[in-house]
Amino acid sequence: MKIVMLGAPGAGKGTQAIKIADKYGIPHISTGDIFRANIKGGTELGMKAKSYMDKGELVPDEVTIGMLLDRIAQDDCKDGYVLDGFPRTIPQAESLTKALAEKGDKIDCAMDIEVPDEAIVQRMSGRRACPKCGATYHIVYAAPKTENVCDKCGSELIIRSDDKPETVQDRLNVYHKQTEPLISYYKNADVLREVDGTKELQEVFNDVVAILENK
Ligand code: AP5
Ligand code: MG
Ligand code: ZN
């Protein structure tokens, strides 16, 4: 099962992708997480990505596409994966389609999580993230058991540097301009499925599973 998660920043792509990956035993591949790990590790890739991410802009396709195609060529991806945050531009989607087509393969489902912009800004202000294992929390909607401590690995939670309200607005603008056209792209490929992302997170997941299991 090869799944692409679509949706605005903060729609819940990561939250749902982690649950899908757990349930079906496939890797969760988040380009944002890969960039953040590289920034933390001080790699050359991280240095390239940081200046764009801090401004809420996209990292250039030349950097991102190769990185993602290398990742999905790894052994753990042979039975499928859930992509979170990729593709984000039409050229990224076309490169992915082409790389898969060369092996007679394709994306099975593009899951668009729909949340209006107004709700996004509120969600982001309450998000907390684990810098070690990537788990995501919300101080109201998905609070950790102990305040500011990751349930999974015990690390102290952080506020992502691109979650400042002014950067969130920039990320939303970039989303509408560069990423939203992917909805039509995957609709044309006949794999688009839409879920209402404003529901409570377990309800959203139930809807996601219903879609995946009806395929
Ligand atoms: P990335 O890390 O992908 O960020 P994003 O798309 O902006 O998405 P987020 O991770 O912010 O949101 P999400 O949809 O995963 O929501 P979450 O589940 O956390 O990318 C960061 C940056 O990296 C980009 O800006 C860009 O610079 C660069 N980049 C990455 N990929 C790239 C690419 N392919 N090309 C170029 N550049 C790239 O949920 C949000 C919050 O809401 C959480 O607190 C959560 O607990 C809460 N929540 C989730 N669901 C619900 C619900 N149903 N009800 C209530 N609260 C909920
Ligand atoms: Mg995310
Ligand atoms: Zn953790």
Side-chain angles (χ1 to χ4, degrees), residues 92-148:
Q92 289 182 14
E94 287 171 341
S95 304
L96 177 62
T97 302
K98 183 163 167 274
L100 288 171
E102 280 166 6
K103 292 184 287 174
D105 207 350
K106 69 180 205 40
I107 290 296
D108 301 298
C109 178
M111 188 78 71
D112 180 35
I113 306 184
E114 297 181 308
V115 178
D117 288 9
E118 308 79 75
I120 298 282
V121 179
Q122 191 199 356
R123 276 193 193 180
M124 297 307 225
S125 62
R127 173 160 63 181
R128 299 293 180 272
C130 175
K132 193 157 174 227
C133 77
T136 297
Y137 301 88
H138 189 284
I139 52 175
V140 179
Y141 309 122
K145 292 193 184 76
T146 309
E147 198 181 320
N148 239 17

Side-chain angles (χ1 to χ4, degrees), residues 141-214:
Y141 309 122
K145 292 193 184 76
T146 309
E147 198 181 320
N148 239 17
V149 177
C150 180
D151 290 347
K152 293 191 178 142
C153 75
S155 303
E156 193 180 337
L157 302 178
I158 57 154
I159 299 178
R160 254 168 62 175
S161 62
D162 58 350
D163 277 352
K164 294 190 286 290
E166 59 277 20
T167 314
V168 171
Q169 194 53 57
D170 291 338
R171 286 161 60 200
L172 279 169
N173 296 341
V174 166
Y175 168 76
H176 289 302
K177 197 159 160 236
Q178 294 184 265
T179 307
E180 214 167 25
L182 294 179
I183 294 176
S184 305
Y185 179 90
Y186 283 110
K187 197 171 195 171
N188 291 336
D190 213 20
V191 293
L192 183 73
R193 297 292 178 275
E194 290 164 304
V195 289
D196 177 359
T198 62
K199 295 184 188 172
E200 187 273 319
L201 49 100
Q202 188 58 42
E203 276 181 68
V204 179
F205 187 58
N206 295 345
D207 293 347
V208 164
V209 170
I211 289 169
L212 294 176
E213 305 208 336
N214 268 326

